[in-house]
Amino acid sequence: ASIFSGNGTENAENRSDLFSEILRDEAVERLYELGKVSDASGYLERTFFSPASLRAINLIRRWMEDAGLNTWVDQMGNVHGQVEGSIANAEALLIGSHLDTVVDAGMFDGSLGIISAISALKVLYINGKLGKLKRPVEVIAFSDEEGVRFQTTFLGSASVAGILPITAMQISDKRGVTIEDILKENSLEITEGTLLQLKYDPRSVWGYVEVHIEQGPVLERIGFPLGVVKGIAGQTRLKVKVRGSQGHAGTVPMSMRQDPMAAAAELIVLLESLCKHPEEHLSYDGHCSSFNVKSLASSLVCTVGEISTWPSASNVIPGEVTYTVDIRAIDDSGREAVIYELSNRMYQICESRSVSCIIERKHDAGSVVCDPELSTQLKSAAYSAFKRMVGEIHDEVPMLMSGAGHDAMAMSRLTKVGMLFVRCRGGISHSPEEHVLDDDVWAAGLAILSFLESFL
Ligand SMILES: NC(=O)NC(NC(N)=O)C(=O)[O-]
Ligand SMILES: [Mn+2]
Ligand SMILES: [Mn+2]
């Protein structure tokens, strides 16, 4: 039987210890409000330091203050809301997610983790318990997890984790605007010194927890509103530029063309076939011994999400085609083997077509295993949320892998990490169809509240 399919909680409604007004009604209102803060009219888009992101920063900061937290915004645009612990110098619990979005995004990806953490702390605040937390608790709304504008991701969380190199400031977007330029526009400047100030000392951090929509179909299929994340797939982002010889669509004979568009089409179909059937492509020349191709195939995914061409006119054979590649797998050596094989085959194809091919590695994040002990604590927090809402439950809280990336990947370089997944309709995400049931938002808030209560 699926829990909270929307009708199992009517008797829970009026139980005052479930704080439905804050953890569900107000949290859902805030999700819709934040979901309207967009750089575009007609769809949701919020990118690094964009005007909408600046409005989102102020809105989230107000909500943090409404929960009794001390707030500040750091030089990389991360919003912090913190409460001191009753034990001086105790290591801090960090709870976070991201305030930026993809293009034409759903309103829950990132925002749910921020809003439900703030709501859980607000319940403690209203009940006079905030000051009784033994250790400091800090909510962080990270400024750039998706990496939509600069293709490098985790700019916010990487700066807190201390793994953002100063060279990142020179990364430019499609219009040649660098991260340094954007920060300057906001009268901010990042130097080695400021990066050192942004970095948290691992000795002052107890752990990092992130609540996030599953962005997959598992929880809905098994009928659970919450699950605990075992690990997060590694990811690589490439930028491929194919250059040929620009010409007249009507006069260049097919046999004499060096057409980068047709070449790109062949390269993209090759990528798909390699990721669908890696066992058919990966040569067993010893490179592959360190991983199992079968297990690789079960988690290997690849996507070409962006493509552009120059000069992009219907009667001109393009001179250049540029596209992005996103490759993910649970197994890092498997992902590397795929990239190795792919690159070799790409150069061969371009050679045979007399076009040139430049493959730029824009982003790499190794796979992450969540801390087992922290995951067990999150499991019991989810369990107690279910019990409070619908009484006894007889199944285990599910554990599952994440194909999506998360700020927890960057934060795992600073401290132990754990993640709680929230069921989303049809597993749909990175789409305006993304949706979470109000009662599942409630369950997420209650689970965080239960988790926080273990620090009282
Ligand atoms: N939760 C996410 O949607 N993360 C996204 N962003 C990164 N950096 O992975 C992604 O593409 O999976
Ligand atoms: Mn996302
Ligand atoms: Mn996300």
Side-chain angles (χ1 to χ4, degrees):
S2 79
I3 293 182
F4 321 134
S5 47
N7 53 23
T9 58
E10 59 289 342
N11 58 347
E13 282 293 323
N14 39 33
R15 289 237 329 262
S16 63
D17 65 333
L18 294 180
F19 315 107
S20 61
E21 317 76 53
I22 296 174
L23 299 178
R24 184 190 60 197
D25 305 343
E26 182 182 72
V28 169
E29 247 169 61
R30 289 178 169 181
L31 281 161
Y32 279 81
E33 187 178 353
L34 186 52
K36 294 193 187 82
V37 179
S38 174
D39 288 311
S41 56
Y43 58 85
L44 178 56
E45 177 183 342
R46 257 196 327 265
T47 52
F48 185 59
F49 268 101
S50 70
S53 283
L54 298 177
R55 297 200 304 276
I57 284 169
N58 292 330
L59 187 56
I60 291 165
R61 194 171 180 179
R62 277 210 305 279
W63 290 337
M64 287 175 166
E65 282 154 7
D66 171 60
L69 304 176
N70 317 310
T71 66
W72 68 95
V73 181
D74 67 28
Q75 293 98 316
M76 280 298 286
N78 301 311
V79 196
H80 302 252
Q82 192 240 21
V83 53
E84 289 290 335
S86 59
I87 300 175
N89 308 325
E91 297 160 336
L93 163 67
L94 307 181
I95 311 182
S97 200
H98 57 96
L99 63 87
D100 67 313
T101 73
V102 293
V103 180
D104 197 16
M107 69 172 85
F108 300 88
D109 179 357
S111 307
L112 177 63
I114 296 165
I115 287 169
S116 47
I118 295 171
S119 300
L121 284 162
K122 179 171 178 176
V123 166
L124 292 179
Y125 177 54
I126 285 186
N127 292 290
K129 293 184 180 170
L130 202 58
K132 293 191 171 56
L133 285 164
K134 288 195 179 67
R135 60 176 71 258
V137 175
E138 185 176 325
V139 181
I140 310 179
F142 292 114
S143 54
D144 182 85
E145 187 273 345
E146 303 283 4
V148 162
R149 184 164 178 181
F150 294 101
Q151 282 312 306
T152 46
T153 78
F154 314 142
L155 289 177
S157 42
S159 62
V160 170
I163 57 171
L164 186 70
I166 190 69
T167 47
M169 295 305 120
Q170 301 319 316
I171 295 171
S172 60
D173 66 7
K174 290 177 204 152
R175 285 182 294 280
V177 178
T178 64
I179 294 178
E180 185 180 53
D181 298 333
I182 290 198
L183 293 172
K184 275 212 174 99
E185 276 168 30
N186 289 277
S187 32
L188 292 164
E189 193 195 358
I190 297 283
T191 62
E192 294 271 12
T194 32
L195 282 181
L196 277 176
Q197 281 167 359
L198 288 168
K199 172 180 171 13
Y200 277 31
D201 179 345
R203 291 165 302 178
S204 68
V205 179
W206 178 80
Y208 171 78
V209 166
E210 180 163 359
V211 176
H212 200 286
I213 51 172
E214 179 199 344
Q215 301 175 299
V218 173
L219 290 176
E220 184 176 66
R221 184 157 26 90
I222 57 177
F224 256 86
L226 303 177
V228 173
V229 178
K230 273 190 287 197
I232 307 168
Q235 55 177 247
T236 294
R237 292 187 187 182
L238 307 173
K239 185 166 142 185
V240 179
K241 201 179 282 290
V242 186
R243 284 209 179 101
S245 94
Q246 190 165 321
H248 193 297
T251 56
V252 181
M254 292 308 285
S255 60
M256 293 174 66
R257 293 188 177 203
Q258 295 166 281
D259 181 349
M261 186 66 88
E266 185 175 351
L267 297 177
I268 293 170
V269 170
L270 163 73
L271 172 69
E272 182 195 41
S273 148
L274 203 166
C275 290
K276 273 185 170 174
H277 310 290
E279 66 286 352
E280 290 169 16
H281 294 268
L282 292 182
S283 44
Y284 287 83
D285 55 3
H287 273 302
C288 310
S289 55
S290 60
F291 65 93
N292 167 337
V293 181
K294 270 253 170 309
S295 75
L296 171 64
S298 64
S299 73
L300 179 62
V301 287
C302 67
T303 311
V304 174
E306 285 181 53
I307 188 163
S308 60
T309 176
W310 176 261
S312 192
S314 63
N315 60 348
V316 177
I317 306 167
E320 181 176 286
V321 173
T322 305
Y323 64 89
T324 60
V325 174
D326 176 315
I327 294 185
R328 312 201 189 183
I330 299 294
D331 180 304
D332 288 343
S333 45
R335 175 166 50 89
E336 285 304 338
V338 166
I339 294 167
Y340 177 80
E341 183 66 24
L342 173 73
S343 315
N344 292 341
R345 296 290 307 282
M346 288 172 70
Y347 291 126
Q348 285 166 1
I349 291 172
C350 290
E351 176 86 26
S352 70
R353 286 173 166 271
S354 315
V355 295
S356 73
C357 171
I358 301 159
I359 304 172
E360 191 186 346
R361 238 167 136 147
K362 298 293 282 183
H363 166 66
D364 280 297
S367 61
V368 164
V369 177
C370 294
D371 181 80
E373 200 185 309
L374 180 45
S375 299
T376 305
Q377 288 172 284
L378 288 172
K379 238 175 133 170
S380 49
Y383 187 83
S384 70
F386 298 156
K387 254 181 84 179
R388 282 162 89 164
M389 287 177 89
V390 293
E392 212 37 55
I393 58 165
H394 307 294
D395 308 308
E396 275 276 295
V397 173
M399 300 279 292
L400 59 167
M401 287 306 293
S402 175
H406 301 285
D407 286 303
M409 298 172 93
M411 296 301 281
S412 68
R413 308 280 292 277
L414 173 71
T415 185
K416 65 187 178 195
V417 300
M419 283 193 73
L420 206 52
F421 263 177
V422 185
R423 169 171 60 185
C424 59
R425 188 178 56 199
I428 297 168
S429 181
H430 286 191
S431 155
E433 296 310 307
E434 195 178 273
H435 184 72
V436 177
L437 290 173
D438 294 0
D439 280 350
D440 289 359
V441 172
W442 188 14
L446 261 182
I448 301 178
L449 179 61
S450 303
F451 180 70
L452 289 171
E453 283 167 346
S454 63
F455 294 99
L456 289 175

